[in-house]
């Protein structure tokens, strides 16, 4: 029974992935060719889409860390009463569909393009909100795992400043959690389509779709590459976690993905 | 503290309030129920809502059942085995694997020149999908959505399956209960709240999804997010500018109802376990 389940469900999940490999290497007749993969470089818009998405990922991670880490540490140490409100606000983006957010975002983006000009990078402001639930859960798990109350009191008692505590005590002890928050954010930003496409910005996914209308094999190749990129990122986090904490790893590094809703 | 709440207010709460307030405003800014009435009075919009709800319910059920079975099959194995770790990590990636890339994966599988389409054609000699376009239809959407629902259910449901104690099975066996009795009277009732809770989360996940559907279906709008796309991308009829906000507001209402059910279920489950 167990093996039947594994075979059936496994096939459902794996066949489309293998189909991508087959489709993107299909040649004339029944030959294999890497032409579609080589052609990726001949689509300049594809390369610029990848560049834009990578820049957005960096900005989003930076924004997320600046916004979340000091606030969460402060709440954790000084204002435990605010914790529930903060958790609620951080998880809220999971329940507001991205398509609903887009409908209300146009005045916000008018303001943003007034200040920053016409660049796709302003999307990072919204992406920070999108990654909030995953980043929050990941960092929260990290803060709970170490006794930062005692550590920070000891540091303060020895004359450290509050920023000193933050940078020299707290951040080093939760760096695993920060890494997993960053990786989840990167994965999410690289896969975002809804907001970017409806606000007419050419990110990786938007360009991918446009290229797919003309050359399906190239788009399938890029999709597969992006998927493998995601796998590698997640395995890096997952194995970094297992070196550190052993058996507790999979719950703590992958817990933020629970209830991981739409992209 | 202040930067955080300010940021949330600007980029999350403000857009949401614009949608909710806009749904009850005419294009000149007067308070009105016309937008809501337009949605409720139009068979196109009601059908889109019905389509969205049906699609979400069907894929939540299919993904929930298969996902729960997979979670069970994984939990039967070694607790810290390599296999289990790989399934969990893969579920983490695949549950996020939505949107354009997922649509392409399924076009490569079941599209006109898809691997499975061609293979079936070769083996049976006839084109099974005489109109290979089923993947671009409602059915296709359901098959594609189920793909990300299964790993999502694994992530949600695995902790619950892990919570089953070996001793309960032993106790049931000692009392003369067979496999059926164990699943019907012991494991079933214990897992039921987590299972239903998982289904509700899957429902919300499918209901809010946009990217996959947008990449797959370019003509016609069988579900609400695609109706909203039409509003955002085209010049709207004069005086109807806020109907799109009313549609978005409708989505918020549906999601809020399902999430309150989920919260209620969680409270009940917690009480029952204590």
């Amino acid at each position: 029974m167990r093996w039947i389940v594994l075979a059936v469900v496994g096939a459902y999940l794996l066949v489309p992935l293998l189909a991508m490999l087959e489709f993107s290497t299909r040649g004339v007749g029944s030959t294999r060719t890497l032409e579609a993969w080589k052609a990726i470089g001949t689509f300049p818009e594809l390369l610029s889409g990848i560049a834009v998405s990578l820049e957005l990922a960096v900005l989003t991670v930076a924004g997320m860390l600046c916004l979340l880490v000091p606030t969460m540490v402060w709440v954790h140490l000084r204002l435990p009463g605010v914790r529930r409100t903060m958790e609620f606000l951080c998880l809220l983006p999971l329940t507001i569909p991205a398509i609903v957010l887009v409908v209300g975002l146009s005045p916000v983006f008018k303001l943003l393009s007034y200040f920053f000009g016409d660049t796709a990078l302003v999307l990072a402001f919204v992406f920070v909100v999108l990654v909030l639930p995953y980043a929050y859960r990941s960092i929260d798990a990290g803060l709970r795992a170490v006794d930062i109350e005692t550590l920070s009191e000891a540091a303060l008692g020895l004359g450290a400043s509050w920023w000193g505590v933050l940078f020299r005590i707290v951040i080093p002890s939760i760096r695993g959690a920060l890494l997993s928050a960053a990786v989840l954010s990167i994965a999410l930003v690289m896969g975002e389509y809804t907001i970017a496409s409806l606000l007419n910005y050419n990110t990786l996914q938007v360009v991918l779709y446009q290229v797919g209308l003309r050359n399906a094999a190239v788009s399938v190749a890029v999709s597969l590459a992006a998927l493998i990129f995601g796998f590698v990122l997640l395995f890096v986090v997952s194995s970094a976690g297992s070196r550190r904490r052993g058996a507790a790893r999979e719950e703590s590094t992958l817990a933020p993905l629970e209830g991981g809703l739409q992209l | 503290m202040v930067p955080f709440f300010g940021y949330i207010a600007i980029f999350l709460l403000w857009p949401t309030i614009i949608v909710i307030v806009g749904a009850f405003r005419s294009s000149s800014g007067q308070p009105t129920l016309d937008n809501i009435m337009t949605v409720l009075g139009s068979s196109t919009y009601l059908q889109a809502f019905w389509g969205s709800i049906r699609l979400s319910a069907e894929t939540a059920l299919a993904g929930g059942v298969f996902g729960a079975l997979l979670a069970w099959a994984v939990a039967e194995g070694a607790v810290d085995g390599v296999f289990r770790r790989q399934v969990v990590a893969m579920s983490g990636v695949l549950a996020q694997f939505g949107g354009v890339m997922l649509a392409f994966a399924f076009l490569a599988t079941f599209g006109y020149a898809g691997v499975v389409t061609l293979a079936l054609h070769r083996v049976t000699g006839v084109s099974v999908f005489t109109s290979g376009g089923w993947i671009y239809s409602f059915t296709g959407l359901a098959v594609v959505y189920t793909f990300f629902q299964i790993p999502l259910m694994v992530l949600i449901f695995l902790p619950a399956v892990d919570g089953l104690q070996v001793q309960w099975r032993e106790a049931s066996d000692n009392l003369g209960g067979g496999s059926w009795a164990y699943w019907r009277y012991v494991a079933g009732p214990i897992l039921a709240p987590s299972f239903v809770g998982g289904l509700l989360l899957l429902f919300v996940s499918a209901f809010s999804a946009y990217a996959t559907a947008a990449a797959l279906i370019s003509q016609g709008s069988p579900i609400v997010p695609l109706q909203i796309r039409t509003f955002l991308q085209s010049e709207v009829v004069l005086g109807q500018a806020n109907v799109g906000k009313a549609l978005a507001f409708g989505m918020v209402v549906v999601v809020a109802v399902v999430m309150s059910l989920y919260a209620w279920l969680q409270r009940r489950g917690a009480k029952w376990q204590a």
Side-chain angles (χ1 to χ4, degrees):
Chain A
M1 179 65 189
R2 185 174 170 234
W3 293 109
I4 298 174
V5 169
L6 287 177
V8 172
V9 182
Y12 187 58
L13 296 179
L14 292 179
V15 165
L17 305 183
L18 295 175
M20 290 172 93
L21 185 62
E22 197 280 337
F23 192 87
S24 65
T25 58
R26 192 183 290 170
V28 188
S30 54
T31 54
R32 299 282 105 197
T33 165
L34 282 176
E35 237 159 73
W37 288 83
K38 284 181 195 145
I40 294 175
T42 65
F43 286 83
E45 67 265 45
L46 210 48
L47 299 180
S48 81
I50 294 173
V52 167
S53 282
L54 284 175
E55 282 165 23
L56 278 170
V58 171
L59 286 175
T60 306
V61 169
M64 176 273 289
L65 291 176
C66 292
L67 194 66
L68 218 44
V69 174
T71 315
M72 282 185 71
V73 173
W74 185 248
V75 168
H76 197 87
L77 291 176
R78 289 296 153 79
L79 299 163
V82 189
R83 203 187 274 179
R84 288 207 69 91
T85 317
M86 184 156 177
E87 179 174 18
F88 175 78
L89 285 176
C90 284
L91 298 186
L92 204 55
L94 285 183
T95 57
I96 300 178
I99 180 94
V100 171
L101 216 50
V102 175
V103 175
L105 272 173
S106 56
V108 182
F109 268 82
K110 273 196 195 110
L111 211 64
L112 283 176
S113 51
Y114 174 76
F115 281 117
F116 295 96
D118 187 26
T119 160
L121 298 183
V122 289
L123 279 172
F125 284 104
V126 191
F127 288 175
V128 169
V129 171
L130 289 190
V131 303
L132 221 48
Y134 307 95
Y136 174 84
R137 283 192 216 170
S138 171
I139 297 175
D140 189 54
L143 285 175
R144 281 167 199 273
V146 243
D147 186 8
I148 62 161
E149 287 89 346
T150 314
L151 290 175
S152 63
E153 272 166 29
L156 288 172
L158 291 167
S161 70
W162 199 82
W163 290 106
V165 170
L166 182 64
F167 282 104
R168 295 172 60 191
I169 308 292
V170 179
I171 288 179
S173 35
I174 59 167
R175 58 178 188 276
L178 297 182
L179 177 70
S180 102
V183 164
L184 290 173
S185 305
I186 295 170
L188 234 74
V189 171
M190 298 304 284
E192 210 287 332
Y193 175 76
T194 308
I195 294 180
S197 73
L198 289 172
L199 293 173
N200 295 316
Y201 291 111
N202 286 331
T203 60
L204 168 62
Q205 299 291 324
V206 177
V207 177
L208 196 57
Y209 176 70
Q210 291 160 358
V211 169
L213 297 177
R214 284 179 287 141
N215 190 332
V218 170
S219 276
V220 169
V222 176
S223 302
L224 187 57
L227 184 70
I228 293 169
F229 177 69
F231 265 115
V232 171
L233 273 183
L234 256 120
F235 270 107
V236 165
V237 176
S238 154
S239 56
S242 67
R243 261 205 313 281
R244 234 180 26 256
R245 280 187 306 273
R249 152 204 38 79
E250 77 194 21
E251 274 74 31
S252 54
T253 48
L254 289 171
L257 285 173
E258 267 175 41
L261 302 183
Q262 81 296 327
L263 279 174
Chain B
M1 283 312 292
V2 176
F4 174 79
F5 285 110
Y7 196 94
I8 296 281
I10 294 175
F11 291 103
L12 182 63
L13 303 182
W14 188 25
T16 314
I17 290 168
I18 288 174
V19 168
I20 294 173
V21 172
F24 294 97
R25 263 200 191 161
S26 68
S27 31
S28 56
Q30 311 292 302
T32 176
L33 283 176
D34 284 357
N35 304 317
I36 307 285
M37 285 308 166
T38 309
V39 172
L40 291 179
S42 137
S43 62
T44 319
Y45 296 140
L46 289 183
Q47 264 168 19
F49 267 101
W50 174 235
S52 264
I53 291 173
R54 223 184 80 198
L55 178 68
S56 311
E58 283 174 6
T59 60
L61 200 61
V65 170
F66 285 119
L69 283 173
L70 184 59
W72 163 77
V74 170
E76 288 281 289
V79 177
D80 204 30
V82 177
F83 175 68
R84 178 201 165 101
R85 208 182 307 161
Q86 274 168 355
V87 171
V88 172
M90 220 172 111
S91 300
V93 179
L94 292 185
Q96 298 296 325
F97 178 48
V100 181
M101 300 183 294
L102 182 61
F104 281 140
F106 270 86
L107 291 183
T109 317
F110 295 116
Y112 291 108
V115 174
V116 173
T117 310
L118 293 183
L120 278 173
H121 183 74
R122 256 199 315 277
V123 173
T124 61
V126 282
S127 181
V128 182
F129 309 109
T130 33
S131 58
W134 69 274
I135 193 75
Y136 302 97
S137 70
F138 193 85
T139 322
L141 218 48
V143 170
V144 178
Y145 273 31
T146 307
F147 183 90
F148 64 74
Q149 299 280 45
I150 293 176
L152 193 53
M153 188 65 177
V154 171
L155 293 177
I156 298 169
F157 198 59
L158 193 57
V161 183
D162 282 338
L164 291 177
Q165 310 279 329
V166 190
Q167 289 89 327
W168 298 344
R169 177 77 207 228
E170 288 164 357
S172 161
D173 288 349
N174 285 340
L175 291 168
S179 233
W180 163 249
Y182 170 70
W183 286 104
R184 168 69 183 80
Y185 296 107
V186 182
I190 290 171
L191 293 178
S194 315
F195 182 72
V196 177
L199 290 190
L200 292 177
L201 288 184
L202 296 194
F203 181 94
V204 171
S205 129
F207 191 79
S208 348
Y210 162 82
T212 318
L216 210 56
I217 297 182
S218 51
Q219 276 158 359
S221 304
I223 58 174
V224 185
L226 295 184
Q227 289 284 352
I228 297 180
R229 167 175 73 175
T230 315
F231 257 96
L232 290 172
Q233 284 182 340
S234 57
E235 294 295 317
V236 278
V237 188
L238 201 66
Q240 295 229 321
N242 279 343
V243 174
K245 287 180 184 143
L247 286 173
F249 175 69
M251 287 189 73
V252 173
V253 171
V254 173
V255 171
V257 168
V258 177
M259 288 311 283
S260 338
L261 264 176
Y262 176 74
W264 175 77
L265 195 75
Q266 292 288 90
R267 271 203 307 279
R268 267 187 63 112
K271 205 185 293 171
W272 179 80
Q273 269 165 2

